[in-house]
Amino acid sequence: ELLFVILLQIINSNRVTKLKKATIIGGGAAGFFSAIECARQLQANNINYEVTILEASSLLLSKVKISGGGRCNVMHDPSKGYEIIAKGYPRGSKELISPFNSQFGPSDTYKWFSNEGIQLKVESDGRVFPSSDSS
């Protein structure tokens, strides 16, 4: 939610050709997703922008590269519904219910990857991987 509040502040500010800067903290999956979507929204509003991702370590997307044994376990089967998916997260399942229900949920995530041209496959245990089986 904070990203979108900041984004709205940038969009609603003076639209003179002055460069608008957005900084995303964290070079993981969520940070990259936020940077991509922030840039798209700024571009869609004809705002001259620069988006920077800051990461404390020297390795960007390191957890993405090793998830699912290097195949990139993207998510869980979105057709299961958010309550069932959240049960797979023993710490934080309650915290996941609200965003899944009202914001960017599992079906949205699946569609996002599809729109990016990344074909996904659902395995028998419900894990979702890129069809390429490569992170």
Side-chain angles (χ1 to χ4, degrees):
E1 289 180 24
L2 179 60
L3 169 67
F4 293 109
V5 170
I6 293 169
L7 187 57
L8 287 175
Q9 289 173 346
I10 294 170
I11 291 171
N12 291 329
S13 67
N14 187 356
R15 292 189 184 197
V16 183
T17 58
K18 184 177 177 184
L19 181 69
K20 302 296 182 182
K21 296 182 179 184
T23 301
I24 308 298
I25 309 299
F32 270 80
F33 172 80
S34 297
I36 290 166
E37 289 305 308
C38 180
R40 283 186 176 149
Q41 291 299 316
L42 292 168
Q43 186 175 33
N45 284 278
N46 296 317
I47 296 173
N48 188 18
Y49 67 92
E50 175 182 292
V51 178
T52 303
I53 299 173
L54 300 179
E55 171 57 43
S57 77
S58 61
L59 301 172
L60 296 173
L61 297 169
S62 59
K63 291 181 186 175
V64 171
K65 292 175 187 172
I66 63 169
S67 70
R71 296 189 303 144
C72 192
N73 183 192
V74 175
M75 58 183 299
H76 199 75
D77 183 355
S79 70
K80 301 285 184 191
Y82 56 85
E83 286 104 353
I84 293 172
I85 294 171
K87 286 180 184 177
Y89 297 87
R91 297 171 307 190
S93 62
K94 291 180 184 176
E95 290 82 358
L96 287 174
I97 295 293
S98 178
F100 277 177
N101 191 26
S102 63
Q103 297 170 10
F104 199 86
S107 295
D108 300 311
T109 303
Y110 198 95
K111 288 176 194 171
W112 188 85
F113 278 100
S114 178
N115 290 339
E116 293 299 314
I118 299 170
Q119 292 183 328
L120 299 175
K121 64 178 182 175
V122 180
E123 297 196 342
S124 61
D125 62 0
R127 293 180 300 163
V128 177
F129 291 92
S131 295
S132 67
D133 277 330
S134 175
S135 58

